[in-house]
Amino acid sequence: VFNRVWREIVVPILVEKKVYSAIWGPYKAFTNELLKKALGLGRQRPTMTVDEVKTKWQNLGLNKDVLDAITTAIQSKGAELKIFG
């Protein structure tokens, strides 16, 4: 699921927002943490809110607009791709 979200949802956003591929690593880490710790995918219950995860990664230097776009896309397209059940 994590890789599918990355390929089908996040990478197109990074390309659209013109984020250099050399710095995609932190966005992938953000995506994985969002899915696992805020949305409860995998074997873990949610331990953070979506806003807490976004704030953490924004404080680490990631672009707020890109984080917002990723979060919105995952939440809206996740059901469409049958990621959340």
Side-chain angles (χ1 to χ4, degrees), residues 10-41:
V10 180
V11 169
I13 291 169
L14 296 175
V15 170
E16 176 188 327
K17 299 281 188 181
K18 295 181 170 68
V19 176
Y20 294 111
S21 61
I23 58 169
W24 283 8
Y27 287 100
K28 186 165 189 170
F30 161 76
T31 301
N32 289 341
E33 186 166 27
L34 178 71
L35 291 171
K36 186 174 182 180
K37 291 189 177 176
L39 301 176
L41 287 182

Side-chain angles (χ1 to χ4, degrees), residues 4 6 23 27 30-31 39 46 62 64-65 71 73 77 79:
R4 183 172 182 205
W6 174 252
I23 58 169
Y27 287 100
F30 161 76
T31 301
L39 301 176
L62 298 188
K64 180 187 184 310
D65 294 333
T71 303
K77 294 180 182 176

Side-chain angles (χ1 to χ4, degrees), residues 18-83:
K18 295 181 170 68
V19 176
Y20 294 111
S21 61
I23 58 169
W24 283 8
Y27 287 100
K28 186 165 189 170
F30 161 76
T31 301
N32 289 341
E33 186 166 27
L34 178 71
L35 291 171
K36 186 174 182 180
K37 291 189 177 176
L39 301 176
L41 287 182
R43 296 184 179 188
Q44 182 173 329
R45 290 181 176 217
T47 57
M48 298 174 78
T49 67
V50 170
D51 288 336
E52 287 173 335
V53 175
K54 286 192 324 189
T55 300
K56 172 188 171 182
W57 286 94
Q58 185 179 345
N59 290 340
L60 290 171
L62 298 188
N63 183 295
K64 180 187 184 310
D65 294 333
V66 176
L67 297 178
D68 288 341
I70 291 169
T71 303
T72 301
I74 287 173
Q75 290 174 324
S76 65
K77 294 180 182 176
E80 181 181 314
L81 295 173
K82 297 183 184 307
I83 291 168

